[in-house]
Amino acid sequence: MSARVGVVGCGIIAKAYVEGSIAFDSFEIVACADLDAESAAVFADVHGLQVETVDELIGDPSIDVVLNLTPPAAHAGVIRAALDAGKHVYTEKPITTTVAEGRGLLAEAERRGLRIGCAPDIFLGAAYEAARELIAQGAIGTPLSATATFLVGGPDSWHPNADVFYQVGGGPMLDIAPYYLTAIASLLGPFRAALGLATTPTPERRFGVGPRAGASFTVDVPTHAVAALQLESGALATLTVSFEAFGQYISGLLVHGSGGSLDLPDANAFGGPIRIRNGDGEWKPVEYASPGPTETRGLGLDEMLTAIREERPHRASGALALHVLETALAALRSAEEGRTVEIGAREPVRPG
Ligand SMILES: NC(=O)c1ccc[n+]([C@@H]2O[C@H](COP(=O)([O-])OP(=O)(O)OC[C@H]3O[C@@H](n4cnc5c(N)ncnc54)[C@H](O)[C@@H]3O)[C@@H](O)[C@H]2O)c1
């Protein structure tokens, strides 16, 4: 039987989830709610959903799972309310804005026998699964390092609520780095320590679109950051993330091993080419089969629901998301304090 899902937060990403959901048999999005009642009503109308207030939806006994698509600072409150109502939750990233909040929510879910799943789920797609298998089979020897880069100009040019992504819980280290950190954790295992540097070259920005277009807002978080990361396995990784590369979209993830390298596709999108190079050889394409329409937002929720049915752990889990959040925050804290920061809660995270 397919799970009945209620969306909380009817903004930009909600449309992608609702449109993508037709690819999945495991769930059906049936209702929506938003603090802004008008947004919820319009969204419900466009997508043929039942509209409720946030409290009504979370308390609605006919809803099995809350899909939390609110801004980062609202994530913890919505997750807590859904757990209190006895519901599983799948949330957008970052899971929360502090590690303490995240730990509290995971403990509460465990106590209640409920699941928390969290985006990103790109690492569950065919490209990153193929890469994970190659690495596990030793195709590049012993993994030594990963090099991840994601540089864009920031959401101010296209997002009507761009200011939220420059407040606590935003910035490229919490908004974008989770795609790359989750991919690296899936491929190579958990992180042990972070050394970071961060700057804010553009401390004031302007909305490029929406009702506030042209108005300025203040940036509260670093917008350009690098991290050197030590993994539990002994491998090392570097990450560069930025909202300062105006008009550009630069994404890369390379994994180097003792016997070769893998060049991986955009960790912020499903699909894309994989290349492998061994020894002094040429780059060669890696073929992999794509499952088609299920490579869309909702894959992680689908996998969580399958895992619940099969009584096994799910993969786009709250524990993995919390580990990723802790790693990103460790890099930012390192940048502030000028020292290496250890990452604590790495035990639950294992590749695959
Ligand atoms: N926009 C994207 O391309 C994108 C991509 C991937 C992930 N995400 C993630 O999705 C989440 C939402 O992003 P978005 O771009 O859709 O934001 P958005 O601003 O477009 O939409 C968020 C909606 O949540 C509502 N909201 C705020 N607080 C609420 C609360 N406490 N209860 C109920 N509703 C509340 C707002 O009124 C708004 O309609 C964020 O965590 C973001 O990181 C966004």
Side-chain angles (χ1 to χ4, degrees):
M1 208 182 71
S2 108
R4 290 170 59 83
V5 173
V7 166
V8 178
C10 302
I12 289 200
I13 206 61
K15 181 172 183 283
Y17 274 93
V18 173
E19 289 177 354
S21 66
I22 53 167
F24 301 103
D25 295 331
S26 63
F27 69 92
E28 188 188 356
I29 297 178
V30 295
C32 68
D34 197 293
L35 270 191
D36 177 350
E38 198 186 324
S39 294
V42 170
F43 192 79
D45 197 37
V46 170
H47 298 286
L49 306 176
Q50 183 180 331
V51 65
E52 302 183 67
T53 66
V54 174
D55 287 349
E56 280 167 359
L57 185 147
I58 288 173
D60 184 339
S62 76
I63 302 287
D64 304 309
V65 180
V66 170
L67 178 55
N68 181 15
L69 307 180
T70 60
H75 286 178
V78 172
I79 297 170
R80 169 73 63 180
L83 295 175
D84 285 347
K87 293 184 172 31
H88 304 296
V89 189
Y90 190 86
T91 185
E92 256 303 333
K93 48 76 198 168
I95 181 167
T96 50
T97 59
T98 69
V99 172
E101 271 175 335
R103 285 214 182 103
L105 293 174
L106 288 193
E108 186 61 19
E110 170 109 33
R111 197 178 70 75
R112 291 177 178 272
L114 295 168
R115 303 289 184 110
I116 301 177
C118 185
D121 51 10
I122 309 290
F123 76 103
L124 297 176
Y128 274 83
E129 283 294 79
R132 191 169 66 90
E133 273 167 39
L134 281 171
I135 291 170
Q137 288 160 7
I140 57 166
T142 304
L144 298 171
S145 70
T147 310
T149 36
F150 188 86
L151 296 93
V152 289
D156 18 335
S157 61
W158 57 270
H159 200 301
N161 300 326
D163 53 340
V164 163
F165 297 92
Y166 294 92
Q167 295 164 358
V168 172
M173 195 51 96
L174 294 196
D175 184 47
I176 284 299
Y179 292 99
Y180 296 83
L181 294 173
T182 307
I184 294 169
S186 170
L187 297 172
L188 305 180
F191 301 98
R192 182 197 290 254
L195 186 58
L197 292 168
T199 60
T200 310
T202 312
E204 194 176 293
R205 297 198 172 223
R206 283 184 194 282
F207 293 98
V209 294
R212 292 178 284 174
S216 65
F217 60 88
T218 308
V219 174
D220 297 335
V221 292
T223 51
H224 185 67
V226 297
L229 301 159
Q230 183 184 30
L231 277 76
E232 187 79 346
S233 69
L236 303 173
T238 57
L239 170 73
T240 303
V241 285
S242 185
F243 283 169
E244 296 285 343
F246 300 105
Q248 301 180 71
Y249 186 101
I250 301 157
S251 169
L253 181 50
L254 283 160
V255 181
H256 302 291
S258 56
S261 299
L262 272 177
D263 183 5
L264 299 174
D266 190 346
N268 183 35
F270 287 104
I274 307 178
R275 299 188 305 162
I276 190 164
R277 186 175 63 190
N278 293 105
D280 293 333
E282 296 290 307
W283 285 107
K284 294 192 189 80
V286 173
E287 304 297 332
Y288 64 91
S290 168
T294 55
E295 297 233 306
T296 185
R297 282 176 211 281
L299 182 60
L301 171 57
D302 174 62
E303 199 274 338
M304 182 175 97
L305 294 167
T306 307
I308 292 171
R309 268 201 320 277
E310 295 175 355
E311 299 183 1
R312 61 169 174 80
H314 57 292
R315 293 185 58 202
S317 66
L320 175 56
L322 181 61
H323 177 65
V324 162
L325 174 72
E326 185 167 6
T327 303
L329 290 174
L332 292 177
R333 184 142 60 90
S334 166
E336 270 177 33
E337 297 178 4
R339 63 179 182 89
T340 303
V341 174
E342 295 282 323
I343 295 148
R346 55 185 180 264
E347 210 40 53
V349 188
R350 290 285 173 262

